[in-house]
Amino acid sequence: MSKEQMEGYALDLENAAKNGTDEVLETTTHELYKNAERERLRGVVPISKHVNDPCLKNFVPVDIFKESYIPRGYRGKDMKKLISIWSQLTVKLVGKQECSSDTEEKKAIKVCTGTVFKVDMHTIGTGDKTVCPCPGHKGDTPSKMVWWKVHVRTTRDFVEPKMDPKMFQFSKAYELKEYDKMVNVTLDCVNISPFKNGGKSCVLEFATHDVELGYLLRELCQQFQEFHRNVYEEYRANTDVNLTIIISYPHLLSEPRVSVGHWVHRAITDGRTWYMYTTPTCPGSAGAMVYRVGQELGDDVHVGVASDGLGFSG
């Protein structure tokens, strides 16, 4: 690619980062929860009118994901295990627009994807000075002696304009031992970390006193880091690797889906590196972690789709 083409592409990428179509899915409270209740009672997987969209053929359910979906040369047990663990840390985020003019049922909500990437355990009475943010918490209550701070990375388009995060929906499957509380976690206390200049991602932090949930999520994070290191060490020396994988919740699906492609362009604007890729995405995919095989984990997330049809992260 010539220097002129690269400069032109950098400008296109900058415009896409500012004006690209984000893929935060907007719906209504009534639609989401009515369909979620139907799913709970009947075990129906699709919960959206979009479920028959032909683009969904580009997304593979994690429970049937096979090595054959990965290009030759990248098919190893560590890669497949990494995807399985990663899917368990991928959550559907549900937020409600703060607006007093509409009725509760008709308030617009946003749905996108997030990834749990860090879990901190705090123990009261052991010198740990971190204050639990839960409302009405009493430090001398035995059941409250241990609490967990869970960090979830997603797109800042989810919280801009001001959104009130209400729920994280975890996958129902993937070795979660039918632990019902993993399905829907209602958010009573959420902190939104300060945005980084130029970045399109943000971090949501929520607190929980559910010990089993905390230990499970922390163990999954540790396992993910372990398998990521193995995959990174295997492919980092190969400069031709551009395999890019995304796990997300497209079109309000009830379980996360895997999509595979390649990053094709990279540019630096405003001091940040932006990637564009062929990996399929759809509304609901915004905020998903963009995993580039052979590279260190970054803090960028899927943002949207540029005019040429390529997805981009920031």
Side-chain angles (χ1 to χ4, degrees), residues 137-153:
H137 167 68
K138 296 180 180 180
D140 57 353
T141 305
S143 62
K144 303 289 187 180
M145 289 299 292
V146 176
W147 67 278
W148 307 79
K149 182 188 289 185
V150 181
H151 305 252
V152 180
R153 181 171 286 114

Side-chain angles (χ1 to χ4, degrees), residues 119-138:
V119 181
D120 300 321
M121 183 177 73
H122 298 281
T123 306
I124 299 170
T126 61
D128 190 337
K129 302 298 183 181
T130 310
V131 178
C132 173
C134 292
H137 167 68
K138 296 180 180 180

Side-chain angles (χ1 to χ4, degrees), residues 91-93 152 167-170 183-185 187 204 206:
V91 297
K92 183 193 301 180
L93 303 177
V152 180
M167 182 178 72
F168 290 178
Q169 179 178 318
F170 289 82
V183 177
N184 295 306
V185 177
L187 306 180
L204 304 180
F206 76 90

Side-chain angles (χ1 to χ4, degrees), residues 38-51:
R38 182 188 304 119
E39 178 190 21
R40 184 184 71 81
L41 294 174
R42 302 180 184 178
V44 180
V45 173
I47 63 171
S48 169
K49 63 185 179 183
H50 304 283
V51 73

Side-chain angles (χ1 to χ4, degrees), residues 224-225 228 232 289-292 295-300:
F224 178 83
Q225 290 293 337
H228 161 66
Y232 171 71
M289 180 176 72
V290 180
Y291 188 81
R292 293 177 293 275
Q295 293 188 20
E296 291 279 12
L297 293 175
D299 61 359
D300 58 327

Side-chain angles (χ1 to χ4, degrees), residues 234-291:
E234 184 172 357
Y235 297 108
R236 67 172 180 164
N238 186 348
T239 57
D240 294 329
V241 173
N242 60 357
L243 184 66
T244 301
I245 304 173
I246 293 176
I247 300 181
S248 66
Y249 284 85
H251 293 296
L252 279 178
L253 292 179
S254 61
E255 295 294 336
R257 299 290 178 96
V258 185
S259 55
V260 179
H262 299 83
W263 66 264
V264 294
H265 296 293
R266 174 174 55 192
I268 298 178
T269 62
D270 298 327
R272 281 189 68 89
T273 302
W274 302 81
Y275 286 86
M276 301 194 81
Y277 36 81
T278 62
T279 312
T281 59
C282 272
S285 296
M289 180 176 72
V290 180
Y291 188 81

